[in-house]
Amino acid sequence: VQLQASGGGLVQPGGSLRLSCEVSGSIFSVNLMGWYRQAPGQERELVTYISSSDNTHYAPSVQGRFSISRHKDNDKTRLLLQMDSLKPEDTAVYYCNVVSGQDVYWGQGTLVTVSS
């Protein structure tokens, strides 16, 4: 199982970015797919997740600004994170994550920098 995250970059406050995580390989049953982030000097924190029944959860700090979705394309699944109205405090390395039973898979992280 491989998770490949992309889409990070430098954006001005108020701008938008869309992160993508391509999930490949065989996963028997996916329970949750989500995004975490880790700012410099901070612990990794949950940003959002989507369940197998498409229920979503957002951290209060991103509620109303971020949107998670997933799409199936042949044998790969793509997890997207649309980020709007970005703030400097959203600056972090963003990691995609898949939970399958007791197995947890992580992507390599993509850096998002919000700065003028």
Side-chain angles (χ1 to χ4, degrees), residues 3-76:
L3 281 66
Q4 183 70 41
S6 61
L10 174 64
V11 63
Q12 292 187 343
S16 298
L17 276 178
R18 190 177 74 166
L19 304 184
S20 177
C21 178
E22 188 174 276
V23 183
S24 59
S26 178
I27 302 179
F28 177 70
S29 177
V30 175
N31 302 118
L32 297 172
M33 302 180 73
W35 290 92
Y36 285 69
R37 67 186 181 186
Q38 187 167 19
Q42 308 266 343
E43 293 188 353
R44 191 174 296 189
E45 64 175 2
L46 174 67
V47 176
T48 178
Y49 67 73
I50 184 168
S51 73
S52 58
S53 54
D54 288 335
N55 292 317
T56 57
H57 168 82
Y58 295 92
S61 59
V62 306
Q63 180 77 47
R65 300 188 297 121
F66 289 13
S67 178
I68 188 172
S69 62
R70 60 179 180 176
H71 308 271
K72 192 77 171 176
D73 182 16
N74 294 324
D75 61 345
K76 294 182 180 179

Side-chain angles (χ1 to χ4, degrees), residues 11-17 65 83-88 90 114-115:
V11 63
Q12 292 187 343
S16 298
L17 276 178
R65 300 188 297 121
M83 306 186 294
D84 298 319
S85 302
L86 283 161
K87 305 176 181 180
D90 294 318
V114 185
S115 175

